[in-house]
Amino acid sequence: MGEQDGQREITTAKEAADDELVLAFGRLQGAANRLEYILGRRIEEECGISHLMYEVLLILGRAGEPGLSMRAIGQEQVLSTGGATRLVDRMEAAGLVRRVTDPGDRRGRLVRLTPLGEETAVRASRLHVENIKRFFLDPLPASHRERFAEDLRILSHAARDSLPLLP
């Protein structure tokens, strides 16, 4: 078996399944999927919005005035423009966001939070913070939490920077 960067060369499905890097990434992905399900379900049950809608409320809250274009929302959430449009249509029908004319481009439209969207973002965030503490931080040793959060920030930014821009 050959060595690559200190790793054994994978030659069988069993070796692939047992590879330390494959296992580590699988654990990360599994934890993220399970936590998203648990935390997203809590938001949906308590606030009546999907986790994806909640993320868009946060993106719009961070952007402030004058709002964001559909393209920018799609890029932040790795959605196609059509997917972002359908999501924003549902959010607009629920009274969470509104579309306004882009002051920099009269042909363009921007998406902004409504007062209900702002209130929903705050209410959902209060719940979300409690659930993050319970399901994300409490299982970790206190001495690891700050470093773990910083490592996740680094990974997230590196992955974001490696994505191609969506049309």
Side-chain angles (χ1 to χ4, degrees):
M1 305 232 161
E3 297 275 331
Q4 297 173 353
D5 299 317
Q7 291 282 103
R8 291 184 332 174
E9 184 178 332
I10 297 172
T11 59
T12 68
K14 172 81 171 121
E15 289 173 357
D18 291 340
D19 183 83
E20 287 182 31
L21 291 178
V22 171
L23 286 169
F25 186 77
R27 288 182 189 119
L28 174 66
Q29 194 169 33
N33 290 341
R34 290 179 194 102
L35 286 167
E36 182 176 9
Y37 176 80
I38 292 165
L39 300 180
R41 187 169 171 148
R42 302 269 172 148
I43 288 172
E44 196 165 331
E45 289 170 353
E46 301 272 335
C47 301
I49 60 171
S50 70
H51 190 236
L52 184 55
M53 284 182 180
Y54 172 65
E55 291 291 329
V56 171
L57 292 177
L58 293 179
I59 290 165
L60 292 172
R62 192 174 299 119
E65 297 292 331
L68 286 178
S69 68
M70 293 296 229
R71 178 182 169 98
I73 293 169
Q75 286 178 338
E76 282 289 319
Q77 279 301 310
V78 193
L79 294 169
S80 67
T81 302
T85 299
R86 287 187 296 277
L87 178 63
V88 169
D89 286 347
R90 290 194 306 274
M91 294 176 74
E92 189 172 35
L96 300 170
V97 300
R98 65 187 172 102
R99 289 178 170 98
V100 298
T101 302
D102 182 344
D105 177 3
R106 293 179 124 342
R107 294 169 295 152
R109 305 281 282 164
L110 298 176
V111 180
R112 289 185 187 164
L113 291 177
T114 63
L116 177 62
E118 176 82 21
E119 185 271 326
T120 302
V122 169
R123 189 166 41 94
S125 292
R126 289 177 179 158
L127 170 73
H128 198 47
V129 165
E130 289 307 310
N131 286 321
I132 289 169
K133 288 176 184 173
R134 178 177 174 197
F135 295 103
F136 183 70
L137 290 180
D138 287 352
L140 296 173
S143 62
H144 296 193
R145 292 174 188 165
E146 194 173 314
R147 180 71 231 180
F148 183 66
E150 176 61 13
D151 289 344
L152 288 175
R153 185 192 67 76
I154 291 167
L155 285 172
S156 178
H157 288 181
R160 179 201 62 207
D161 294 346
S162 295
L163 285 174
L165 291 179
L166 295 175

